[in-house]
Amino acid sequence: MRLRLFLLLTLFFNLTLAVAQGNKHKVTGKVIDTQGGVPLEYATITLTDVNDPQKVNGGITDTNGAFSIEVVDGTYNITVEFISFETKKFNNRTIDQDLDLGTVQLEFAASDLDEVTVVAETTTVDVRLDKKIYNIGKDLTTSGGTVADALNNVPSVNVDIEGGISLRGNENVRILINGKPSAMAGFGSTDVLSQLPADAIERVEVITSPSARYDAEGTAGILNIILRKEKTLGFNGSINLTGGHPANAGITGNINYRTEKFNLFNTTGFRYRESPGNGYFDTEYFTTRQDAFLDSIAYNRNIEDRDISRIDRGFNTNLGLEYYLNDKSSITGTAFYRKGLDDDLTQNTNDYFLDGNNQIGTIRREAQSEDEYSYQFALNYINRFNDSGHQLTADFQYDVDNEDSGAFITEDVRYNNTDQTGVDIPSEQTSTDEKQKEYLFQADYVLPLGKDSQFEAGYRGNFENTVTDYTLLQEDASGMLVINENQTNIFDYTQNVNALYTQYGTKFGSFNFLLGLRLESTQLKGKISSELTEEELQDEFNFDIDTDFNNDYLGLFPTLNIIYELGENENISLGYNRRINRPRGWFLNPFPSRDSRTNIFQGNPNLQPAFSNAFDLGYLKKWGKNLTLTSSVYYQRETDAFQRVQEQVTITGPGGSDVEVTRNLPFNLATNDRMGAELGILYNPFQWWRLNGSVNYFQFKLDGEFNGVDYSQDNSSWFARMSSKVTLPGKIDWQTNAFYRGASQEIQGSSDGILSVDLALSKDIFNDNATISANVSDLFNSRKRMGNTTTDFINQYSEFQWRQRQINVSLMYRFNQQKNEQRKRQNNQGMDDEGGEGFEGGK
């Protein structure tokens, strides 16, 4: 009896307490950025009781932008906020059952004084567990420019004067397009990025601590370039016209048509560009030399003045169709085609001196033409099992890149201050036919585990083959062009990589972490076909050569990324990863270049992959909506790191004669310890003035030797960039970008500092349906690589300028879209353009 009474009293007490407190319900949803549908982590959701404003409840979004908050019955004002974005409110919402707010889209904070200010007016940064996402703003200085130009304005990234891309001063960076290797990025080369228009970029992901989902290739990290893909309903698009000096003309069109069932999109562009460049090499030899053809001429100094004229013609088009099978799954097919036709003329004027006295001079001309085309077919399938992130994606991609190039080389005696007469340097003709194919297969599976955890696993297979057929013809004594059997060759190179990965991410308290492991099996095969035997090649090139090599590597690559939230707008991150740098085909091909008779580059088929272990510690702090600070310190230890050295060797020159040349040869150094720190600031002091700056300091310690020479060295350098954008009266935008790379010591010399300044002006016309802009790239014509090289046999001062100052004017016209809607993207179920969302928010 007493037990029954106790149970009744307990039940009555619990019912009374439940009525007093009210029934509990869940308020759920997801917060994304309108640009690209990127989930916003750490967005704040606040629920204020309308009847009692002192009662406040709330929470923040997870790495997928999702939130779930428990509240009791009542009427609430719901506020969704994220730093630097417009606040969204849902007032007087009565909650008497579970409430799903769906996908909440936030826009970047626009100017209160200008209602038509572009939402993505400036570059913004979003920090994730394993990367920083830079949503490319309206960068006036790259209007009419290329993807390479746009990358040069992204913090931590540097594009040198020859188009080479480095991350934190390290050139071993992996370039991906929409999360995958692509012919659009030129596979291992970055030349294609200098042909695609900058307007094609939606955002750039700087991945300095890649998770296990990404390829382990690239010891510096990964740059993932996400291209634009309109998702707004209806028909819309834009057209961009560009003209400039030196001669630069281009037209790019974007169209998009979307219905509830499919999305059709196309980008097509054509460009013509002249890019004059120059070089200067002053080489002093420590011993007197004899030239193979000027054999009665002794000299110990050579001055080479190089003038380069380039004409680049390019056409590219990208057509895609995304078909929605149902509200949970879709399939996307894309086709990309690029055609390039280039004509280059390089003239080398050489003066030879002996003890300060001029001996003889020559003019060497190389007329080169290059006909190249690439195409790519890709399929992507995605199935979302539910709205919590449970999904499966599958990808197939096929890439082809063909390049046919030829050059005709002549060298004439310019003057003669000696008794020698009848000097005749034979002409040369080269032809190169390079064919490259690549297949990619990929599958990724994501399984949420509860509210704050996620498991992921996947497979990726890359199968790549490149065949380079090179022929060298040289003039004989009778004036006929005959094959040089010592240099003519076929290099067949294959790289196959199979990878499996798994990773687990979770959040508890103020900690977020992502732990992953990737297994990669690599096969590198190369076969050299030549008239020379393996022993004859070794004698010719002065090092051991395996003409038919097959190297297999099996590697484990662990990753760990952690974020600790110090507050709503402040966090600390820690990353660790192990990575690999595989030698590309042109680094392995032992046959020398013909760009100069005295300075050549030669590959090394004995190169082995380099491995690295890297650590990254970052700090992020935001003050209000106007100031964001990002910073990090990092350390990397790389074994068998690639380095180039200069050697004095003798090779077979024109007519079969022996010629002494300076050879640049890559080799595996023992270790390379790199450490550094970077600091970035996004600051909007006023509504009409926006600033973006960053500085990166790094140092490295080399430890190793080659051919008995010790190349150990300590070195440090730094680079900084600043961008200032001001809105002048009349709604004219004025932007200034400045970049400086500090001087540095190299393993055989030093490099001088490089300063570059870009200016641009922009004005909206035709009721804001069009924008006209003008910019100057390299205002002071100072983007030159200068430095000294000192070895046991030479001392060389050099200058090189890939492209001179450029002035551009461009006009963009938009149809069926407002200016402030041009860069908006609908959610499309919260998916990234590259087909996956993942715990870290990108593929």
Side-chain angles (χ1 to χ4, degrees), residues 253-485:
N254 297 277
I255 60 172
N256 182 83
Y257 179 66
R258 179 175 176 175
T259 69
E260 296 293 340
K261 200 62 179 176
F262 67 86
N263 183 30
L264 179 68
F265 50 93
N266 172 255
T267 299
T268 299
F270 171 81
R271 67 183 294 113
Y272 173 92
R273 189 174 197 173
E274 295 183 7
S275 301
N278 55 79
Y280 177 82
F281 305 87
D282 186 351
T283 308
E284 293 186 59
Y285 301 92
F286 298 147
T287 58
T288 301
R289 297 162 61 93
Q290 296 288 137
D291 190 274
F293 297 99
L294 317 175
D295 52 16
S296 66
I297 300 298
Y299 65 95
N300 53 22
R301 184 184 180 192
N302 168 239
I303 296 179
E304 179 180 331
D305 199 347
R306 186 178 301 180
D307 184 71
I308 308 169
S309 174
R310 304 185 194 86
I311 298 177
D312 304 325
R313 308 171 189 87
F315 170 81
N316 65 85
T317 185
N318 182 36
L319 178 64
L321 176 64
E322 185 174 8
Y323 182 75
Y324 309 107
L325 301 172
N326 51 54
D327 61 348
K328 298 293 184 183
S329 62
S330 66
I331 186 168
T332 302
T334 58
F336 168 79
Y337 176 79
R338 180 181 63 86
K339 173 74 172 179
L341 183 61
D342 303 337
D343 290 309
D344 301 344
L345 176 62
T346 302
Q347 178 172 292
N348 294 348
T349 302
N350 289 273
D351 290 307
Y352 298 88
F353 298 85
L354 178 63
D355 299 328
N357 297 314
N358 181 256
Q359 297 295 292
I360 201 169
T362 65
I363 297 179
R364 184 179 190 271
R365 298 179 180 88
E366 178 180 0
Q368 182 177 10
S369 63
E370 181 179 296
D371 188 357
E372 182 180 10
Y373 68 89
S374 303
Y375 58 86
Q376 174 189 98
F377 299 103
L379 286 174
N380 167 261
Y381 169 77
I382 181 165
N383 185 20
R384 309 170 188 87
F385 300 101
N386 55 39
D387 295 330
S388 65
H390 185 197
Q391 65 184 36
L392 172 69
T393 60
D395 291 275
F396 167 75
Q397 187 170 290
Y398 173 64
D399 297 86
V400 171
D401 185 71
N402 283 355
E403 177 183 320
D404 292 322
S405 62
F408 188 71
I409 304 170
T410 60
E411 191 164 4
D412 303 318
V413 175
R414 183 162 56 94
Y415 51 75
N416 188 351
N417 294 333
T418 70
D419 295 333
Q420 181 178 353
T421 58
V423 176
D424 184 21
I425 302 177
S427 300
E428 297 182 6
Q429 182 173 312
T430 67
S431 65
T432 305
D433 181 13
E434 183 175 273
K435 292 181 170 60
Q436 184 170 5
K437 294 182 179 180
E438 182 173 0
Y439 296 87
L440 179 143
F441 302 90
Q442 180 172 322
D444 298 284
Y445 177 72
V446 180
L447 176 65
L449 301 174
K451 176 184 175 182
D452 297 320
S453 301
Q454 181 172 291
F455 169 79
E456 185 175 350
Y459 162 80
R460 174 178 285 187
N462 280 91
F463 309 96
E464 177 185 339
N465 175 255
T466 304
V467 178
T468 304
D469 189 345
Y470 176 81
T471 302
L472 172 62
L473 302 176
Q474 295 179 317
E475 186 180 9
D476 63 10
S478 64
M480 298 293 292
L481 289 173
V482 297
I483 291 180
N484 182 328
E485 296 180 349

Side-chain angles (χ1 to χ4, degrees), residues 46-57 71-78 92-93:
T46 305
L47 294 94
T48 304
D49 194 318
V50 172
N51 299 316
D52 185 1
Q54 300 299 319
K55 292 183 178 179
V56 179
N57 200 350
V71 297
V72 298
D73 290 333
T75 302
Y76 295 87
N77 290 331
I78 305 174
N92 298 313
R93 290 296 181 97

Side-chain angles (χ1 to χ4, degrees), residues 223-240:
L223 287 179
N224 186 21
I225 302 170
I226 307 299
L227 302 181
R228 298 191 186 283
K229 183 173 68 173
E230 289 285 352
K231 295 182 179 179
T232 50
L233 290 173
F235 179 74
N236 56 77
S238 65
I239 187 169
N240 193 1

Side-chain angles (χ1 to χ4, degrees), residues 55-172:
K55 292 183 178 179
V56 179
N57 200 350
I60 62 174
T61 56
D62 60 18
T63 53
N64 295 321
F67 62 87
S68 178
I69 303 168
E70 257 190 7
V71 297
V72 298
D73 290 333
T75 302
Y76 295 87
N77 290 331
I78 305 174
T79 304
V80 181
E81 298 176 286
F82 189 73
I83 191 72
S84 298
F85 284 75
E86 298 284 2
T87 298
K88 183 161 287 190
K89 295 183 178 181
F90 303 87
N91 291 331
N92 298 313
R93 290 296 181 97
T94 299
I95 300 177
D96 53 13
Q97 58 182 350
D98 289 349
L99 174 63
D100 184 5
L101 292 178
T103 299
V104 180
Q105 300 186 45
L106 299 186
E107 297 182 356
F108 186 77
S111 169
D112 295 333
L113 299 179
D114 185 359
E115 294 180 358
V116 295
T117 298
V118 177
V119 170
E121 191 75 16
T122 59
T123 297
T124 60
V125 60
D126 186 12
V127 178
R128 301 300 176 85
L129 271 170
D130 63 344
K131 60 191 170 187
K132 295 183 180 72
I133 302 174
Y134 291 94
N135 297 298
I136 301 300
K138 184 188 174 188
D139 194 330
L140 308 181
T141 61
T142 62
S143 180
T146 66
V147 169
D149 296 326
L151 287 178
N152 210 24
N153 291 329
V154 174
S156 304
V157 181
N158 179 32
V159 183
D160 66 22
I161 59 174
E162 295 176 306
I165 298 174
S166 61
L167 183 59
R168 291 174 169 175
N170 190 340
E171 296 179 352
N172 299 326

Side-chain angles (χ1 to χ4, degrees), residues 471-719:
T471 302
L472 172 62
L473 302 176
Q474 295 179 317
E475 186 180 9
D476 63 10
S478 64
M480 298 293 292
L481 289 173
V482 297
I483 291 180
N484 182 328
E485 296 180 349
N486 287 9
Q487 304 294 327
T488 299
N489 69 95
I490 299 176
F491 184 54
D492 190 336
Y493 176 69
T494 298
Q495 176 179 291
N496 298 324
V497 181
N498 287 279
L500 293 170
Y501 80 91
T502 182
Q503 60 186 20
Y504 172 76
T506 191
K507 178 179 180 180
F508 53 91
S510 298
F511 281 95
N512 294 264
F513 82 85
L514 185 63
L515 177 65
L517 183 64
R518 189 176 186 92
L519 174 67
E520 288 195 350
S521 173
T522 303
Q523 181 186 46
L524 301 180
K525 295 193 302 181
K527 184 175 182 179
I528 302 170
S529 300
S530 169
E531 292 296 326
L532 301 181
T533 66
E534 191 170 283
E535 291 75 16
E536 289 173 331
L537 284 173
Q538 292 174 359
D539 292 339
E540 172 72 16
F541 298 140
N542 301 300
F543 60 87
D544 293 338
I545 292 178
D546 186 351
T547 58
D548 190 1
F549 60 87
N550 188 349
N551 300 324
D552 294 330
Y553 310 95
L554 186 66
L556 281 174
F557 302 92
T559 63
L560 175 64
N561 293 281
I562 301 174
I563 286 183
Y564 177 69
E565 301 165 14
L566 298 172
E568 179 182 342
N569 298 316
E570 186 178 16
N571 66 61
I572 295 175
S573 61
L574 175 65
Y576 162 77
N577 62 87
R578 182 174 188 259
R579 302 190 61 75
I580 184 175
N581 184 25
R582 304 179 182 94
R584 304 298 301 179
W586 70 284
F587 254 45
L588 297 171
N589 192 336
F591 289 88
S593 65
R594 310 298 294 183
D595 293 339
S596 168
R597 192 159 57 88
T598 56
N599 294 277
I600 66 170
F601 173 82
Q602 188 172 3
N604 180 2
N606 302 309
L607 276 182
Q608 301 297 308
F611 293 88
S612 72
N613 289 277
F615 299 86
D616 189 295
L617 179 65
Y619 173 73
L620 169 72
K621 175 68 174 179
K622 297 181 180 181
W623 292 270
K625 296 182 178 180
N626 297 324
L627 179 61
T628 301
L629 180 146
T630 60
S631 61
S632 65
V633 293
Y634 51 90
Y635 170 77
Q636 179 189 79
R637 183 176 181 83
E638 184 176 3
T639 57
D640 289 330
F642 303 161
Q643 289 291 320
R644 298 190 199 182
V645 297
Q646 287 190 349
E647 294 184 314
Q648 185 175 352
V649 296
T650 300
I651 65 171
T652 303
S657 58
D658 290 338
V659 179
E660 282 189 295
V661 298
T662 301
R663 174 175 70 181
N664 286 269
L665 182 74
F667 70 101
N668 290 104
L669 200 68
T671 60
N672 184 359
D673 291 295
R674 302 179 65 93
M675 61 190 69
E678 60 182 350
L679 177 70
I681 294 178
L682 299 173
Y683 181 42
N684 299 333
F686 305 102
Q687 293 171 337
W688 50 269
W689 188 16
R690 292 170 290 276
L691 293 170
N692 180 357
S694 64
V695 60
N696 194 308
Y697 172 82
F698 56 92
Q699 60 182 21
F700 59 87
K701 180 180 180 180
L702 303 176
D703 182 13
E705 64 174 36
F706 180 73
N707 282 349
V709 180
D710 185 5
Y711 292 102
S712 299
Q713 180 195 12
D714 292 336
N715 186 19
S716 63
S717 187
W718 63 282
F719 62 87

